[in-house]
Amino acid sequence: MREKTIRSDILKIIVANILSHGLLLIVTGTFWDDWFYYYRDRVGLWKEFMELGRPSSAYWVEAVWNIPHYGYRWLVFLVFTLTALILYIIIRNFGMFTAKEALWLSVLYSVIPVNDARIILCTFSYGVGLASFLAGAYILQKYMQDRENNRFRFRIAALLLLGYSFIIQSLLVFYVVVLFCILYYEYQNRRKILETIKAMIKYADFILLPISFWVGKQILFPAYGSSADYNAVTMGAMVKAAFRLPLAVIKQAEGNWIGIFDFAIPGNAVVVCTIFVVLYVFIQIGIWLRGQISHGISILTCIGVGGGQNNDLPKLLLGIFLFALGLYPYNVVRGADEVLIVGVESRDSLLLAPGMAIMLYYFFKLLFRNIKARRMIYGILILCCCISCNCHYLNYQRDAYWQEALISKLRINEEVREVHNLLFFSDDVNGTNGTRFYTLNGAASVAFGDQTRLILTEGSYQLLRDSEEKKRCVNSRRMLMNEYNIFNDKLDGVIVYNCDISYKECILLKLQELVDTEKYWEQIEKMGELNYYPADSREAEEMMDGMGIL
């Protein structure tokens, strides 16, 4: 019966991943940094990752380099589905959660709309690192639950998997979760704090693992060159981020909460409705804490096996703690109180989903004691999350078609072919930021078969006069302008491109792309409108003056 239930739960988790991230399997297109990955040579790829101090990531990129876009996205989908399944098994086998809670938490983890940057190749190693972390945590859990039958090789395997996962440096902080689990299991066996602390000495290898990795990396694979300051961490930044963390958690939770409904409900309406609910939960937490202090009951005792309100509040606090752990390293590196959950920087939200899932589940469990009402709320949440995820992927696909139409229009424009410094204007910037610098230079390189141009947006216009910065871009080969003349600082003209694509048109184009390629390309060639104006023309001067560039 237990095995049948587990198989049923696993099927539900897989279905949840398909409903929320299934579009990942059919989305086509190149986005952001991936232009840089797909249009460079093997030597350049390795140079990039060596400078970042992450040579192992190059293996993963190179392994899937020649697979079509949809192929590696299948792998990404499988990797993240695997993380949800491993998480389910870990939670189910963890004494403080019930089997039913493990299912709900794993489903919520799967569908929460964060980290849509998984769509791009350059973040493939993020999914691998997270899967490695969870697999290591699972093996450690098996080892601790039955040391007599689980041989020493389990311990070694756990150390290797957890150690490798630190290619995602934020897991060095999130590793506190593993230490907490060790502490929890030892406490369950002894029920005495001092004896538990003494028993932790047996796990010195696990305690020292992140420190050993960090020191070894600084010696063997330090970041250097143009990436020397990439994700640099200072003691001052760590202290500042620690003081800002409580406020950052509130702001980030608000942003994630709004993100669940961003496809349908204005953010302000969500915030106003949420304030009253949050006040109620805080009152409940205050009442609970006062009761624990007055009775002298430890939190570790309260989060033992079983359900009930006394266990729900500590678990809500545990979710907040995990959420903070996932947020803190990026607060340190970025110096901001909030990370993006959509777009290329949404890779920073990779570790927010576990804590967010726990927070949402126990938040509403505290609010609604009626099981039917609670299930309805969870169902609505999961539905909204799935719709939000699919909207994000549709935005990527819209942007891909926007790019294809731009390439088509550039290819037939003889005036643009003959010039090299261009300013780009467009009113139709999609949610995925279609006018990103990589995209424009990448589109031009595909359209004309060379990399002799510099296409600028309003925000990057200053680059035109900066020969040193242009030299850095050419030498790094990152900006797809390898044949560009860095001493040419004369603006040749202005491109105005408009191409609005609705969700309906996007879906129809996707169907044509899948079943009728010829008709699909006919539609692409008809889409959008591109106009070129020489820099000394009245139209160009008026546009530049309106933007405050002249």
Side-chain angles (χ1 to χ4, degrees):
M1 183 65 181
R2 182 177 182 272
E3 291 182 0
K4 185 177 180 181
T5 301
I6 292 174
R7 286 197 296 269
S8 175
D9 288 353
I10 287 174
L11 180 60
K12 291 173 184 175
I13 294 168
I14 293 173
V15 169
N17 276 273
I18 292 172
L19 291 176
S20 56
H21 300 287
L23 280 183
L24 189 63
L25 300 172
I26 60 172
V27 169
T28 50
T30 305
F31 311 100
W32 301 309
D33 303 56
D34 276 7
W35 281 101
F36 161 65
Y37 282 84
Y38 279 113
Y39 292 86
R40 71 177 306 173
D41 58 282
R42 183 178 184 277
V43 174
L45 176 79
W46 277 92
K47 178 178 180 291
E48 171 74 13
F49 280 108
M50 290 299 293
E51 286 190 357
L52 285 169
R54 293 167 47 197
S56 65
S57 296
Y59 284 108
W60 292 109
V61 172
E62 191 167 13
V64 297
W65 210 351
N66 295 320
I67 299 177
H69 295 191
Y70 54 82
Y72 85 76
R73 286 174 188 149
W74 292 354
L75 293 177
V76 170
F77 176 81
L78 291 173
V79 166
F80 277 97
T81 301
L82 180 64
T83 66
L85 294 174
I86 298 174
L87 186 66
Y88 163 75
I89 297 171
I90 291 173
I91 296 173
R92 186 184 175 93
N93 293 336
F94 205 61
M96 64 175 11
F97 298 101
T98 66
K100 191 171 293 185
E101 288 174 330
L103 173 61
W104 280 113
L105 291 174
S106 300
V107 169
L108 283 169
Y109 163 82
S110 299
V111 302
I112 288 174
V114 296
N115 183 36
D116 66 6
R118 70 186 73 184
I119 199 171
I120 51 180
L121 176 61
C122 62
T123 64
F124 182 64
S125 59
Y126 284 57
V128 174
L130 182 58
S132 178
F133 179 83
L134 290 171
Y138 168 67
I139 293 173
L140 174 61
Q141 184 186 57
K142 292 283 289 182
Y143 173 78
M144 295 186 66
Q145 287 177 334
D146 190 6
R147 293 192 193 92
E148 294 182 2
N149 295 323
N150 291 327
R151 298 179 182 178
F152 190 68
R153 63 187 180 187
F154 277 65
R155 186 170 186 139
I156 299 300
L159 284 167
L160 290 175
L161 286 167
L162 289 167
Y164 179 74
S165 73
F166 295 147
I167 58 171
I168 307 174
Q169 294 186 34
S170 54
L171 283 172
L172 289 164
V173 176
F174 207 73
Y175 186 76
V176 171
V177 178
V178 173
L179 300 180
F180 171 80
C181 291
I182 295 174
L183 178 66
Y184 176 82
Y185 276 113
E186 291 299 322
Y187 180 81
Q188 290 293 96
N189 292 331
R190 290 167 175 77
R191 295 290 175 176
K192 292 184 180 180
I193 294 294
L194 289 178
E195 289 186 13
T196 300
I197 294 174
K198 290 178 182 178
M200 293 292 287
I201 296 173
K202 295 184 299 184
Y203 298 95
D205 47 355
F206 285 96
I207 294 171
L208 295 174
L209 182 63
I211 300 172
S212 302
F213 177 90
W214 179 257
V215 172
K217 181 183 180 303
Q218 300 312 307
I219 296 173
L220 298 174
F221 301 109
Y224 65 90
S226 60
S227 300
D229 296 326
Y230 182 76
N231 284 353
V233 176
T234 64
M235 185 59 68
M238 292 175 66
V239 173
K240 288 180 181 178
F243 279 106
R244 295 197 314 265
L245 191 58
L247 179 60
V249 167
I250 294 172
K251 290 181 65 177
Q252 188 66 48
E254 177 190 340
N256 285 21
W257 174 246
I258 293 172
I260 294 173
F261 304 98
D262 61 357
F263 66 93
I265 305 174
N268 291 336
V270 178
V271 172
V272 171
C273 295
T274 303
I275 288 174
F276 297 101
V277 181
V278 170
L279 287 174
Y280 171 79
V281 172
F282 273 110
I283 291 170
Q284 291 295 315
I285 292 174
I287 294 171
W288 175 81
L289 287 174
R290 186 177 63 182
Q292 300 312 307
I293 294 170
S294 63
H295 291 90
I297 301 175
S298 71
I299 290 180
L300 279 175
T301 302
C302 290
I303 58 177
V305 181
Q309 189 172 13
N310 284 341
N311 290 318
D312 295 340
L313 285 167
K315 290 173 188 175
L316 175 63
L317 295 175
L318 176 63
I320 295 171
F321 176 67
L322 293 179
F323 191 73
L325 278 181
L327 183 63
Y328 175 70
Y330 298 105
N331 287 162
V332 173
V333 172
R334 308 294 184 221
D337 291 335
E338 191 174 357
V339 300
L340 298 176
I341 61 173
V342 180
V344 68
E345 294 300 337
S346 71
R347 53 191 164 187
D348 293 353
S349 63
L350 176 72
L351 301 177
L352 297 184
M356 189 72 181
I358 295 174
M359 287 166 61
L360 284 174
Y361 182 81
Y362 291 104
F363 182 84
F364 286 105
K365 193 176 180 185
L366 284 167
L367 283 178
F368 299 95
R369 307 312 297 175
N370 182 278
I371 295 177
K372 290 184 178 179
R374 200 161 61 231
R375 286 177 179 172
M376 183 182 69
I377 293 297
Y378 293 150
I380 292 171
L381 271 177
I382 291 168
L383 176 63
C384 290
C385 286
C386 289
I387 294 173
S388 184
C389 287
N390 282 288
C391 286
H392 293 170
Y393 290 126
L394 280 174
N395 281 336
Y396 278 102
Q397 192 61 78
R398 289 168 63 204
D399 188 65
Y401 294 147
W402 184 95
Q403 294 176 37
E404 290 288 4
L406 173 61
I407 292 170
S408 174
K409 292 293 181 292
L410 288 173
R411 188 175 284 131
I412 62 175
N413 195 303
E414 294 298 329
E415 291 180 294
V416 177
R417 182 182 293 275
E418 301 302 322
V419 296
H420 301 281
N421 288 325
L422 295 155
L423 183 60
F424 186 91
F425 289 110
S426 177
D427 293 332
D428 307 314
V429 180
N430 292 328
T432 52
N433 199 352
T435 57
R436 189 174 175 85
F437 191 79
Y438 298 137
T439 300
L440 296 177
N441 282 357
S445 67
V446 172
F448 302 122
D450 59 47
Q451 296 185 12
T452 63
R453 288 164 195 79
L454 172 62
I455 303 183
L456 302 154
T457 61
E458 178 190 353
S460 60
Y461 181 74
Q462 68 279 3
L463 182 62
L464 182 64
R465 306 283 192 268
D466 193 336
S467 296
E468 286 301 314
E469 184 63 19
K470 287 193 289 186
K471 182 179 179 181
R472 188 190 68 78
C473 293
V474 171
N475 290 339
S476 72
R477 305 181 68 183
R478 172 173 281 275
M479 303 304 179
L480 302 176
M481 43 191 287
N482 302 334
E483 304 161 279
Y484 176 77
N485 177 11
I486 61 172
F487 300 107
N488 181 1
D489 60 1
K490 176 180 176 294
L491 182 68
D492 295 310
V494 172
I495 293 174
V496 178
Y497 174 63
N498 294 300
C499 182
D500 188 25
I501 304 171
S502 67
Y503 284 135
K504 180 181 178 181
E505 290 171 323
C506 178
I507 294 170
L508 291 174
L509 278 169
K510 173 53 66 179
L511 291 174
Q512 289 176 348
E513 185 182 5
L514 293 172
V515 301
D516 191 345
T517 306
E518 185 176 340
K519 190 171 183 180
Y520 161 73
W521 285 112
E522 287 178 4
Q523 289 298 111
I524 288 292
E525 290 173 1
K526 293 177 183 177
M527 288 167 49
E529 180 183 357
L530 185 144
N531 293 298
Y532 170 75
Y533 303 100
D536 57 0
S537 67
R538 180 176 59 82
E539 292 89 348
E541 290 180 354
E542 286 179 354
M543 282 185 284
M544 294 169 66
D545 185 48
M547 293 293 180
I549 292 176
L550 286 180

Coordinates of all heavy atoms in Angstrom, one line a residue, residues 411 417 442-453 483:
R411 N 18.0 41.2 -43.0 CA 18.6 40.5 -44.1 C 18.3 41.1 -45.4 O 19.1 41.1 -46.3 CB 18.1 39.0 -44.0 CG 18.8 38.1 -45.0 CD 18.4 36.7 -44.8 NE 19.0 36.1 -43.7 CZ 18.4 35.4 -42.7 NH1 17.1 35.3 -42.8 NH2 19.0 34.9 -41.7
R417 N 23.0 46.8 -44.2 CA 24.1 46.0 -44.5 C 25.4 46.7 -44.7 O 26.5 46.2 -44.4 CB 23.8 45.2 -45.8 CG 24.9 44.2 -46.2 CD 24.5 43.5 -47.5 NE 23.4 42.6 -47.3 CZ 23.5 41.4 -46.9 NH1 24.6 40.9 -46.6 NH2 22.4 40.7 -46.7
G442 N 23.6 39.7 -32.0 CA 23.4 38.3 -32.5 C 22.6 38.3 -33.7 O 22.8 37.6 -34.7
A443 N 21.5 39.0 -33.7 CA 20.5 39.1 -34.9 C 21.3 39.6 -36.1 O 21.1 39.0 -37.2 CB 19.3 39.9 -34.5
A444 N 22.1 40.6 -35.9 CA 22.8 41.2 -37.1 C 23.8 40.2 -37.6 O 24.0 40.1 -38.9 CB 23.5 42.5 -36.7
S445 N 24.5 39.5 -36.7 CA 25.5 38.5 -37.2 C 24.9 37.4 -38.0 O 25.5 36.9 -38.9 CB 26.3 38.0 -36.0 OG 25.5 37.2 -35.2
V446 N 23.7 37.0 -37.6 CA 23.0 35.9 -38.3 C 22.5 36.5 -39.7 O 22.5 35.8 -40.7 CB 21.8 35.4 -37.5 CG1 20.9 34.4 -38.3 CG2 22.3 34.6 -36.3
A447 N 21.9 37.7 -39.7 CA 21.3 38.3 -40.9 C 22.4 38.5 -41.9 O 22.1 38.3 -43.1 CB 20.6 39.6 -40.5
F448 N 23.6 39.0 -41.5 CA 24.6 39.4 -42.5 C 25.8 38.5 -42.6 O 26.7 38.7 -43.5 CB 25.0 40.9 -42.2 CG 23.9 41.9 -42.2 CD1 23.7 42.6 -41.0 CD2 23.1 42.0 -43.3 CE1 22.6 43.5 -41.0 CE2 22.0 42.9 -43.3 CZ 21.8 43.7 -42.1
G449 N 25.9 37.5 -41.7 CA 27.0 36.6 -41.8 C 28.4 37.1 -41.4 O 29.4 36.6 -41.7
D450 N 28.4 38.2 -40.7 CA 29.6 38.8 -40.1 C 29.4 39.4 -38.8 O 28.2 39.6 -38.4 CB 30.3 39.7 -41.1 CG 29.4 40.9 -41.4 OD1 28.8 41.5 -40.5 OD2 29.3 41.3 -42.6
Q451 N 30.5 39.9 -38.1 CA 30.3 40.5 -36.8 C 31.1 41.8 -36.8 O 32.0 42.1 -36.0 CB 30.9 39.6 -35.7 CG 30.0 38.3 -35.5 CD 30.5 37.5 -34.4 OE1 31.3 37.9 -33.5 NE2 30.0 36.3 -34.3
T452 N 30.7 42.7 -37.8 CA 31.4 44.0 -38.0 C 30.6 45.1 -37.4 O 31.0 46.3 -37.5 CB 31.6 44.2 -39.5 OG1 30.3 44.3 -40.1 CG2 32.4 43.1 -40.1
R453 N 29.4 44.9 -36.8 CA 28.5 46.0 -36.4 C 28.4 46.1 -34.9 O 28.6 45.2 -34.1 CB 27.1 45.7 -36.9 CG 27.0 46.0 -38.4 CD 25.8 45.4 -39.0 NE 25.9 45.3 -40.5 CZ 26.6 44.4 -41.1 NH1 27.1 43.4 -40.4 NH2 26.7 44.4 -42.4
E483 N 34.8 41.2 -35.5 CA 35.4 41.8 -36.6 C 35.2 43.4 -36.6 O 35.5 44.0 -37.6 CB 34.9 41.2 -37.9 CG 35.0 39.7 -37.9 CD 34.1 39.1 -39.0 OE1 32.9 38.9 -38.7 OE2 34.6 38.8 -40.1

